[in-house]
Amino acid sequence: MTPLEKKISELDPNRIPVHVAMIMDGNGRWAKSHGFVRSDGHAEGVSTVHRVTKLSSDLGIKYLTLYAFSTENWNRPKEEVDTLMYLIGWAIERELPELLANNVKIVLLGDIERIPDEPRQRLFYARNATAHCTGLQLNMCLSYSSRWEITEAVRQIAKAAAEGKVNPDHISEEDVSNHLTTAGIPDPDLLIRTGGEHRISNYLLWQIAYSELYFTSALWPDFSDEDYIEALLDFQNRERRFGLTGDQVKNNK
Ligand code: FPP
């Protein structure tokens, strides 16, 4: 048994999270520490995306949501933005055969219309080609931010109310959830952030209300399969109370 297989065997197969979300941070610092330019860090980060997707699929995780490009990332130097867009389009095209072989469904979350034409077409192609897949659902957050998404939801609900289609007094949490880009997707059980920072950076603010948060200092290109299993083991050792007391949770089991 390899050290990785041994670690995997420590996981409780009955308590694998349904939905894991990730903030892939640290590409720039990884590149700098190796004497490379920032974009090389993003290119290296694609390998981690590949590994994390494969391992999630193998473990039976149902949803993996990756923060690939935030609304705020548009303000980075043009050269870095251009490279990232190119990389994302290239990576999705290159990975498509294996995604299909592994029954992985690609879903795009965010203001996708802002993505330049060429990578956007590649993303749409991959999304359409994998639409029938029933295994892991890989949600790629692109030009995404939580405040953008919540603002859009408020706008839609307000419009419906102004048109008399919705009674403001009857707007529920479920209605709000149903107007987010993640409508129909269960909330993340676990959010992992690499790169050593302890913040959420405008990511899935509504959806992570009761998610377990896990922070690791590993930079995204260095985030290994062992690191991922470590996060899952940590998750399995936590008691999720959803606002209840520990005793209530135990008695409900
Ligand atoms: C944050 O690191 C990372 C990003 C802004 C981009 C993440 C993109 C990838 C991993 C590549 C492509 C993704 C897919 C889904 C194919 P940072 O640049 O903020 O790093 P730093 O904090 O060290 O500067």
Side-chain angles (χ1 to χ4, degrees), residues 50-246:
H50 178 101
R51 278 192 290 97
V52 157
T53 303
K54 179 75 172 69
L55 190 50
S56 302
S57 166
D58 290 349
L59 291 173
I61 288 166
K62 188 67 195 121
Y63 302 90
L64 174 66
T65 304
L66 300 179
Y67 206 4
F69 194 87
S70 72
T71 308
E72 291 74 23
N73 286 155
W74 288 115
N75 299 322
R76 289 193 174 196
K78 183 177 178 322
E79 194 190 317
E80 183 175 342
V81 171
D82 288 349
T83 309
L84 257 173
M85 288 298 137
Y86 168 80
L87 253 181
I88 289 167
W90 165 83
I92 200 76
E93 189 173 276
R94 189 192 62 173
E95 297 293 326
L96 185 57
E98 192 169 335
L99 292 169
L100 282 166
N102 286 305
N103 199 18
V104 177
K105 178 178 178 171
I106 296 286
V107 169
L108 308 172
L109 306 179
D111 194 1
I112 307 299
E113 292 310 314
R114 284 188 76 180
I115 305 287
D117 192 49
E118 200 184 318
R120 194 176 68 236
Q121 292 315 322
R122 291 179 187 201
L123 287 162
F124 284 167
Y125 185 84
R127 180 180 63 185
N128 296 342
T130 61
H132 65 282
C133 292
T134 54
L136 173 74
Q137 178 170 316
L138 176 58
N139 301 315
M140 289 178 55
C141 295
L142 290 159
S143 190
Y144 171 90
S145 86
S146 211
R147 288 183 176 181
W148 163 81
E149 168 185 60
I150 292 170
T151 306
E152 283 297 311
V154 169
R155 199 171 283 142
Q156 286 170 28
I157 295 170
K159 256 189 205 159
E163 288 164 7
K165 292 177 186 157
V166 163
N167 178 343
D169 290 332
H170 294 163
I171 296 169
S172 64
E173 290 186 6
E174 202 188 342
D175 292 329
V176 177
S177 293
N178 288 339
H179 283 84
L180 299 177
T181 60
T182 50
I185 301 172
D187 289 340
D189 301 293
L190 171 65
L191 168 65
I192 299 173
R193 179 176 187 138
T194 63
E197 312 286 359
H198 296 97
R199 53 176 172 257
I200 301 300
S201 301
N202 212 351
Y203 190 45
L204 303 172
L205 298 177
W206 174 276
Q207 297 88 338
I208 60 166
Y210 283 103
S211 303
E212 296 297 325
L213 308 182
Y214 183 89
F215 300 96
T216 168
S217 58
L219 303 175
W220 180 253
D222 291 331
F223 184 64
S224 64
D225 288 356
E226 286 80 0
D227 291 333
Y228 189 8
I229 302 299
E230 197 59 50
L232 295 173
L233 286 168
D234 188 273
F235 167 82
Q236 292 193 336
N237 280 323
R238 299 192 194 180
E239 181 186 60
R240 304 187 71 193
R241 291 201 289 273
F242 299 97
L244 302 178
T245 66

Side-chain angles (χ1 to χ4, degrees), residues 17-38:
V18 173
H19 184 173
V20 178
M22 294 194 186
I23 300 177
M24 312 184 283
D25 193 22
N27 293 344
R29 277 165 287 159
W30 182 91
K32 198 171 175 198
S33 73
H34 287 77
F36 302 147
V37 294
R38 294 182 56 81

